[in-house]
């Protein structure tokens, strides 16, 4: 089975257990010391990098970055997290520990759980890691833990690719990739060169090995290396430090409020993210409350369509889906209902697409699995005619409620009824002028106003932004009108499970229609396509399009149907930085918002980015600028 694995599935580590200690069958080495793994981790990595003192004296609102080669069982990570808590017990100081680790052969979840049972003292932290451990797919996974104080960037892939593709500067390194004689790849000069490239004066490193070749290679890169006594029976180990004459301190996040325009799911997710990092936010919207636009429906599915090939676009979508499933966990039952989602192959075209998708890629079953019509029917609780893909960790949300809940935070101030008209650089500030004469000033502004962002984002003369509104009408089906599924069903249209006496289906996709009111034709289209997708739900004859309720909203799509998150380009005419865009989510805002808010907050706060450079390039803002003369 493992030989059949295609990307993005990762080959899991094959473990041999001896006396409760896991050993790698591939490398023939232990993951941690047989004597006392936790004590060894503390001695080698935590103390020899001087972390207790460095953690303790870190400024409030600042951050510390540790990079590790070989995540393995996560023991080093958990011990470091525990040390962070010991040194910084105040959970309101907004300092963040970024821990970046790479793993070529990740442990299967069950193995991770078993390995971590050995450390009762680390238990609550181990549980949180296990609950957030990503499905084993290639790529960069950001885990937000400990209420946001701990941000683990876990790269499943080879060490060289990871260090090539990530942007960060480490304060300390844990070099822990099995002995160089057993795993020479991890200790190649190229890899050591990358370690230097991601370091700065004052960066330290520690490794259990004392091999001369490793010491010389690190010294050649400029590290002042020292041999010090090893742990337990090991005679020696290595430490290193990039010399500096002065102390380097990490930037702290500013305490000036950032203005976000737009209180839909994009703006709300970003406001929450920044606030939890200690950044005050002013969130302004023209409507009288949050989620008034495309994020205002009563039900929305957490859904993406993954591409047949595992290219950058598919990787971005899969990363966003996994991140959003983790992100919403904390609001389960409040506005998030992870009942699972079936993506049916309802047309010949989709059947062919899913067939090719399954031939070319492998995914772990906790992310998605192919299901027959019989299995799909059992899962859905209603007869289903076609096969499809089952996403057990997906489900549906109440988007309007999500927006409302996300912005409830003491560091978020909301201003509703504020219709921003212009954004100009005046007197060393960005000034946002509203139509009623009010204005807001800030050094940093994020435009998250859906298709209305076009009017606000700074665009040089003669250019425009390639954003367009796409009308979507949803229809509410009363509970006595049909048999509802137990899970979300997506095909040509989607249907949610019933909640509070009805369920939402939709949505239409009207490119050239700007009618803000629901129409009977729109409801009819939704009903007809639902009948075709799920004949067995028996939509009752008394359901008539002209009597149904619904809602219309305008999604914001980019020319390439990919989202956008990042700073607006700095060019001759707009020579001031500090304006960012977060929009273009189309009908997938619930999936895109959590990850891209995390990414944009990383950039605004100058912290390690949760997207690798390939994926960051896909969401950059520059591609949206079009010369109006060329079409
Ligand atoms: N730090 C880990 C812990 O706390 O449990 C133990 C790490 S273990 C000694 C070394 C790890 O490096 C293994 O999990 C192994 O799969 C991983 N590894 C080996 N070669 C690698 C490579 N080329 N790229 C990324 N990871 C690799």
């Amino acid at each position: 089975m493992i030989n059949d694995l295609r990307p993005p599935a990762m080959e899991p580590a094959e473990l041999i257990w001896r006396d409760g200690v896991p050993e790698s069958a591939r490398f023939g080495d232990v993951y941690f010391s047989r004597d006392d793994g936790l004590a060894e981790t503390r001695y080698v990595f935590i103390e020899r990098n001087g972390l207790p003192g460095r953690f303790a004296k870190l400024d409030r609102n600042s951050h510390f970055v540790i990079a590790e080669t070989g995540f393995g069982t996560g023991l080093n990570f958990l011990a470091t997290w525990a040390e962070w808590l010991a040194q910084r017990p105040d959970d309101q100081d907004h300092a963040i520990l970024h821990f970046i680790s790479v793993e070529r052969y990740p442990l299967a979840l069950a193995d991770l759980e078993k390995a971590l049972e050995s450390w009762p003292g680390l238990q609550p932290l181990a549980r949180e890691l296990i609950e957030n451990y990503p499905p084993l797919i290639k790529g960069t996974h950001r885990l937000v833990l400990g209420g946001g104080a701990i941000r683990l960037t876990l790269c499943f892939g080879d060490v060289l690719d990871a260090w090539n593709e990530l942007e960060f500067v480490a304060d300390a390194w844990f070099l822990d990739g099995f002995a160089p004689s057993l795993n020479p790849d991890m200790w190649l000069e190229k890899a050591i060169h990358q370690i230097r490239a991601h370091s700065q004066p004052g960066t330290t490193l520690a490794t259990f090995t004392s091999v001369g070749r490793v010491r010389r290679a690190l010294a050649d890169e400029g590290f002042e290396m020292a041999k010090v006594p090893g742990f337990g029976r090991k005679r020696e180990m290595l430490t290193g430090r990039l010399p500096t004459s002065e102390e380097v301190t990490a930037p702290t996040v500013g305490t000036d409020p950032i203005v976000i325009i737009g209180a839909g799911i994009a703006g709300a997710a970003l406001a929450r993210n920044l606030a939890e990092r200690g950044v005050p936010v002013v969130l302004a919207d023209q409507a009288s409350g949050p989620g008034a636009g495309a994020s205002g429906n009563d039900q929305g599915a957490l859904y993406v369509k993954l591409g047949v090939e595992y290219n950058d676009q598919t990787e971005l979508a899969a990363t966003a889906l996994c991140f959003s499933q983790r992100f919403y966990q904390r609001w389960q039952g409040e506005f998030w209902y992870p009942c699972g989602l079936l993506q049916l192959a309802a047309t010949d075209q989709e059947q062919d697409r899913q067939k090719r998708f399954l031939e070319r890629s492998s995914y772990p079953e906790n992310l998605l699995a192919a299901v027959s019509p019989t299995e799909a029917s059992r899962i859905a609780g209603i007869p289903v005619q076609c096969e499809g893909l089952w996403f057990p960790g997906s489900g549906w949300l109440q988007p309007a409620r999500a927006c409302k809940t996300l912005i409830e935070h003491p560091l978020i101030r909301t201003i509703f009824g504020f219709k921003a008209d212009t954004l100009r650089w005046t007197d060393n500030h960005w000034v946002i002028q509203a139509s009623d004469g009010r204005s807001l000033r800030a050094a940093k502004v994020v435009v998250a106003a859906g298709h209305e962002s076009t009017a606000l984002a700074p665009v040089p003369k003669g250019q425009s932004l390639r954003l367009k509104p796409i009308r979507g009408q949803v229809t509410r089906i009363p509970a006595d009108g049909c048999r509802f599924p137990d899970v979300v069903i997506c095909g040509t249209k989607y249907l949610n499970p019933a909640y509070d006496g009805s369920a939402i289906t939709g949505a239409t996709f009207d490119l050239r229609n700007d009618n803000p009111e629901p129409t009977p034709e729109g409801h009819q289209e939704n009903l007809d396509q639902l009948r075709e997708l799920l004949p067995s739900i028996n939509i009752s004859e008394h359901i008539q399009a002209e009597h149904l309720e619904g809602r219309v909203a305008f999604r914001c799509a980019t020319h390439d149907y990919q989202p956008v998150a990042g700073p607006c380009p700095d060019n001759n005419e707009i020579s001031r930085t500090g304006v960012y865009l977060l929009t273009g989510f189309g009908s997938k805002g619930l999936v895109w918002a959590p990850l891209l808010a995390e990414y944009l907050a990383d950039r605004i706060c100058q912290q390690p980015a949760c997207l690798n450079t390939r994926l960051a390039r896909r969401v950059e803002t520059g591609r949206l600028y079009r010369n109006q003369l060329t079409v």
Side-chain angles (χ1 to χ4, degrees):
M1 174 64 195
I2 281 174
N3 294 337
D4 283 349
L5 279 189
R6 292 172 297 277
M10 297 291 297
E11 184 182 337
E14 202 188 315
L15 302 190
I16 300 166
W17 294 88
R18 264 192 264 269
D19 311 322
V21 175
E23 238 179 75
S24 158
R26 170 179 298 270
F27 294 101
D29 201 353
V30 285
Y31 279 84
F32 43 76
S33 158
R34 291 195 176 281
D35 297 338
D36 183 344
L38 179 55
E40 180 177 45
T41 286
R42 292 193 49 81
Y43 176 87
V44 175
F45 297 109
I46 296 180
E47 285 161 16
R48 301 283 87 66
N49 271 303
L51 297 185
R54 291 165 84 186
F55 285 174
K57 70 174 206 243
L58 204 62
D59 288 337
R60 291 171 68 85
N61 282 26
S62 96
H63 67 278
F64 193 91
V65 182
I66 294 174
E68 176 188 55
T69 50
F71 185 72
T73 68
L75 171 62
N76 288 347
F77 165 66
L78 292 173
T80 309
W81 179 0
E83 183 59 35
W84 176 268
L85 291 179
Q87 299 300 336
R88 305 195 72 88
D90 172 8
D91 61 0
Q92 288 305 307
D93 78 353
H94 297 303
I96 295 179
L97 171 65
H98 277 270
F99 195 101
I100 304 168
S101 191
V102 57
E103 182 51 65
R104 175 76 185 78
Y105 304 99
L107 264 65
L109 184 60
D111 284 333
L112 185 80
E113 290 195 69
K114 185 168 171 191
L116 294 179
E117 275 168 14
S118 313
W119 319 113
L122 295 174
Q123 263 331 297
L125 312 186
R127 209 23 38 224
E128 202 176 329
L129 171 65
I130 288 161
E131 275 161 16
N132 285 277
Y133 195 58
L136 301 196
I137 58 168
K138 177 177 162 287
T140 309
H141 306 273
R142 166 66 59 83
L143 278 57
V144 180
L145 305 166
I150 311 295
R151 287 182 141 90
L152 169 63
T153 307
L154 191 48
C155 308
F156 286 160
D158 191 72
V159 69
L160 270 180
D161 296 335
W163 297 158
N164 272 327
E165 288 183 352
L166 285 177
E167 271 183 57
F168 67 93
V169 179
D171 296 298
W173 285 91
F174 294 2
L175 305 184
D176 191 17
F178 291 134
S181 54
L182 300 171
N183 184 21
D185 281 7
M186 187 71 116
W187 305 92
L188 289 175
E189 273 167 24
K190 275 189 278 186
I192 289 177
H193 183 68
Q194 284 291 337
I195 289 169
R196 169 63 185 94
H198 289 288
S199 300
Q200 63 185 352
T203 297
T204 60
L205 64 85
T207 175
F208 61 88
T209 184
S210 59
V211 169
R213 180 178 71 76
V214 170
R215 179 174 51 79
R216 285 189 296 276
L218 286 162
D220 287 349
E221 290 290 347
F223 285 94
E224 282 173 355
M225 298 299 298
K227 260 190 199 173
V228 297
F231 176 80
R233 280 172 284 179
K234 290 194 191 128
R235 230 160 35 94
E236 289 170 324
M237 58 165 280
L238 296 175
T239 61
R241 182 170 187 272
L242 268 190
T244 172
S245 47
E246 72 221 57
E247 207 167 319
V248 185
T249 47
T252 50
V253 297
T255 44
D256 279 355
I258 290 184
V259 171
I260 301 176
I261 318 243
I265 192 73
L270 180 65
R272 180 60 170 244
N273 195 309
L274 287 169
E276 288 188 348
R277 294 185 200 224
V279 182
V281 171
V282 173
L283 180 66
D285 198 295
Q286 60 186 355
S288 56
S295 313
N297 289 341
D298 286 340
Q299 288 185 311
L302 195 69
Y303 173 59
V304 283
K305 207 166 185 174
L306 298 172
V308 166
E309 311 289 345
Y310 199 73
N311 52 25
D312 293 349
Q313 186 169 328
T314 312
E315 183 176 331
L316 181 63
T319 307
L321 178 66
C322 296
F323 186 88
S324 66
Q325 291 176 356
R326 291 193 292 274
F327 175 78
Y328 293 123
Q329 256 178 47
R330 91 196 230 212
W331 292 287
Q332 182 167 342
E334 201 175 332
F335 62 73
W336 163 232
Y337 303 88
C339 54
L341 178 149
L342 270 174
Q343 182 190 331
L344 295 183
T347 60
D348 291 348
Q349 200 190 358
E350 180 59 15
Q351 239 170 47
D352 175 57
R353 208 191 72 86
Q354 288 194 8
K355 188 166 159 278
R356 285 184 291 123
F357 171 79
L358 293 166
E359 279 164 6
R360 302 213 190 146
S361 325
S362 300
Y363 286 86
E365 292 204 337
N366 57 354
L367 178 55
L368 69 91
V371 286
S372 66
T374 318
E375 288 164 314
S377 304
R378 185 187 50 75
I379 289 168
I382 54 167
V384 169
Q385 263 86 353
C386 41
E387 65 257 33
L389 301 174
W390 167 235
F391 293 78
S394 264
W396 64 275
L397 289 108
Q398 292 167 295
R401 250 169 111 162
C403 295
K404 220 165 141 240
T405 308
L406 285 171
I407 65 175
E408 280 163 12
H409 189 283
L411 287 181
I412 302 176
R413 183 160 75 91
T414 53
I415 305 181
F416 291 111
F418 183 97
K419 180 161 177 16
D421 266 352
T422 57
L423 172 64
R424 291 216 177 85
W425 179 257
T426 321
D427 294 338
N428 283 327
H429 271 90
W430 288 102
V431 177
I432 306 126
Q433 193 68 48
S435 50
D436 62 4
R438 284 183 293 171
S439 64
L440 286 169
R441 287 158 64 85
K444 286 182 179 160
V445 178
V446 181
V447 182
H451 63 95
E452 291 175 86
S453 303
T454 330
L456 281 175
V459 181
K461 263 202 205 82
Q463 290 197 14
S464 64
L465 275 191
R466 296 195 272 189
L467 292 175
K468 62 183 171 207
I470 302 177
R471 182 182 184 275
Q473 176 174 335
V474 296
T475 302
R476 177 187 297 283
I477 315 259
D480 59 356
C482 77
R483 252 180 99 182
F484 286 100
D486 297 335
V487 303
V488 183
I489 299 209
C490 297
T492 33
K493 288 279 146 86
Y494 63 80
L495 178 63
N496 289 293
Y499 180 82
D500 227 3
S502 60
I504 300 293
T505 186
T508 62
F509 193 88
D510 313 316
L511 270 170
R512 271 169 286 277
N513 181 346
D514 58 5
N515 183 353
E517 298 303 327
T519 61
E521 294 75 39
H523 289 321
Q524 195 60 54
E525 177 189 322
N526 285 339
L527 281 181
D528 289 348
Q529 295 205 3
L530 191 57
R531 282 197 171 101
E532 211 177 296
L533 176 69
L534 293 168
S536 66
I537 61 173
N538 294 324
I539 302 179
S540 111
E541 287 307 315
H542 79 260
I543 300 272
Q544 299 284 325
E546 51 276 26
H547 301 129
L548 286 172
E549 285 175 20
R551 186 172 182 276
V552 168
F554 293 85
R555 322 161 175 103
C556 170
T558 57
H559 62 295
D560 56 10
Y561 290 96
Q562 290 292 288
V564 58
C568 291
D570 189 8
N571 61 33
N572 290 338
E573 274 181 75
I574 312 157
S575 57
R576 308 288 169 193
T577 53
V579 178
Y580 303 80
L581 266 181
L582 182 65
T583 188
F585 294 177
S587 47
K588 308 288 186 291
L590 300 174
V591 171
W592 290 130
L595 178 70
L596 295 183
E598 175 76 6
Y599 168 67
L600 194 52
D602 286 340
R603 296 210 51 175
I604 290 172
C605 300
Q606 299 177 57
Q607 292 174 14
C610 63
L611 293 183
N612 61 39
T613 44
R614 275 183 299 109
L615 302 194
R617 218 172 294 131
R618 288 207 68 81
V619 300
E620 60 93 29
T621 53
R623 67 185 214 281
L624 256 57
Y625 287 72
R626 172 185 55 182
N627 218 321
Q628 274 172 336
L629 301 175
T630 60
V631 182

